[in-house]
Amino acid sequence: MKRFSVLDALEKKGRGEKLTMLTAYDHPTASMLDEAGVDIILVGDSLGMTVLGYENTLAVTMTDMIHHGRAVARGVRRALVVVDMPFMSYHGGCDRAVRNAGRLIQCTGAQAVKVEGGETVTGTVRAICDAGIPVMGHLGLTPQSVNALGGLRVQGRDRESAARLLRDAVRLEQAGIFALVLECVPHQLALLVSSRVHVPTIGIGAGAGCDGQVLVTPDLLGLFRAFKPKFAKVYAQLYDEAKTAVETYLNEVRQGAFPGPEHSFGLPDHVWAELKGELTCE
Ligand code: KIV
């Protein structure tokens, strides 16, 4: 099966076809998304909240991303796998950033990395791209800057910050990104950015004018309950469904209804007859 590539992503934008991206953090979810036909699977550092139980993404480490990235990449045959570079892994010099990007690719089997930020990371983005590693950008609400932004809020709402975001998008494109996530950005601004850059934009809380869309899979499936962002559409209630299944199991065990004969193993009749005989003789 042919792997979806960064060129395929660019070509989809050229043809006006929407790109699809979802997050995964484990092997079974990654296989399911891949079988469903998603274009790009992001091993997002949203891992911190959705799987590891942290309040935000700041505590997620390179070790975490490698551990989960590996599990995801092993489950994917067609989709392009992108791994988030975690907080502080692409700061402290381009050499360090390139080394960490290289580790993520080598140790996980993913095809690309994602970094958050605008003008301040363009040198780093260029260095990683020069090492032959495709980079996805991320502008707007950049959760790794939650403390600097003063919370998780919509970005680019005034003239100055909107102009900065547009400028950042162009600079990131010049630095070599192959796609750009726009998170929590007014839909008019996201549409403008999408028309100004040649690389595909992938929106989350950025309206329908982006070249593609991404959701955090546990939000889509109704598995994440700590909070529900306005932009997240919930397509299933798997937490409730799973909880009902577990409660049914607990009741069946307590009542002796599980396991049934179909879940048990028996001895061959002659072995059982001999064994029973021996046991009765003692
Ligand atoms: O970490 C993540 O899941 C992300 C998406 C929200 C784009 O960065």
Side-chain angles (χ1 to χ4, degrees):
M1 187 178 293
K2 187 186 168 296
R3 168 92 54 188
F4 192 83
S5 73
V6 296
L7 293 180
D8 293 321
L10 283 165
E11 283 170 14
K12 268 203 157 183
K13 172 159 179 151
R15 292 195 297 269
E17 286 173 29
K18 294 284 185 192
L19 268 173
T20 55
M21 179 160 100
L22 284 167
T23 66
Y25 319 97
D26 61 58
H27 185 275
T29 309
S31 304
M32 181 272 286
L33 299 181
D34 198 39
E35 275 181 32
V38 73
D39 297 321
I40 305 176
I41 294 181
L42 172 68
V43 189
D45 60 357
S46 49
L47 163 75
M49 292 89 84
T50 56
V51 174
L52 301 179
Y54 297 137
E55 195 184 321
N56 55 44
T57 59
L58 304 187
V60 176
T61 63
M62 281 288 293
T63 308
D64 293 330
M65 295 312 296
I66 288 171
H67 181 73
H68 289 268
R70 249 183 208 152
V72 167
R74 275 198 295 263
V76 177
R77 292 170 60 209
R78 175 190 169 269
L80 180 81
V81 179
V82 180
V83 180
D84 252 337
M85 293 198 73
F87 181 58
M88 293 311 291
S89 67
Y90 48 103
H91 296 90
C94 287
D95 287 352
R96 181 168 178 274
V98 171
R99 253 196 323 276
N100 279 332
R103 267 188 79 207
L104 287 174
I105 298 296
Q106 257 184 337
C107 298
T108 64
Q111 287 81 46
V113 296
K114 175 164 82 59
V115 302
E116 295 182 5
E119 187 149 22
T120 54
V121 298
T122 50
T124 305
V125 166
R126 189 168 292 118
I128 299 172
C129 291
D130 284 349
I133 299 170
V135 180
M136 177 179 278
H138 185 155
L139 288 175
L141 170 54
T142 46
Q144 291 176 13
S145 306
V146 58
N147 292 324
L149 296 174
L152 301 175
R153 58 186 79 230
V154 179
Q155 301 296 307
R157 270 195 146 151
D158 58 69
R159 194 188 156 93
E160 194 188 324
S161 62
R164 192 181 330 118
L165 193 143
L166 182 57
R167 205 169 47 239
D168 281 345
V170 172
R171 299 262 157 85
L172 284 171
E173 175 169 45
Q174 288 164 349
I177 57 164
F178 74 94
L180 177 63
V181 168
L182 294 175
E183 178 166 357
C184 285
V185 170
H187 62 90
Q188 301 92 333
L189 177 58
L191 182 63
L192 181 65
V193 171
S194 306
S195 70
R196 291 287 174 84
V197 295
H198 302 97
V199 295
T201 58
I202 304 177
I204 176 160
C210 293
D211 303 307
Q213 295 293 324
V214 55
L215 276 182
V216 170
T217 301
D219 286 339
L220 177 157
L221 296 178
L223 281 167
F224 181 66
R225 315 217 324 159
F227 58 89
K228 185 196 161 306
K230 174 180 158 75
F231 55 72
K233 182 166 176 186
V234 182
Y235 287 81
Q237 291 293 352
L238 293 198
Y239 186 97
D240 294 337
E241 217 174 293
K243 190 168 160 216
T244 303
V246 169
E247 286 166 351
T248 308
Y249 162 77
L250 299 180
N251 284 336
E252 288 194 1
V253 170
R254 286 173 188 142
Q255 289 160 11
F258 176 84
E262 70 276 30
H263 308 112
S264 306
F265 307 94
L267 282 170
D269 285 347
H270 70 280
V271 176
W272 177 228
E274 282 169 26
L275 194 60
K276 224 164 45 173
E278 279 170 32
L279 291 175
T280 348
C281 291
E282 275 174 15

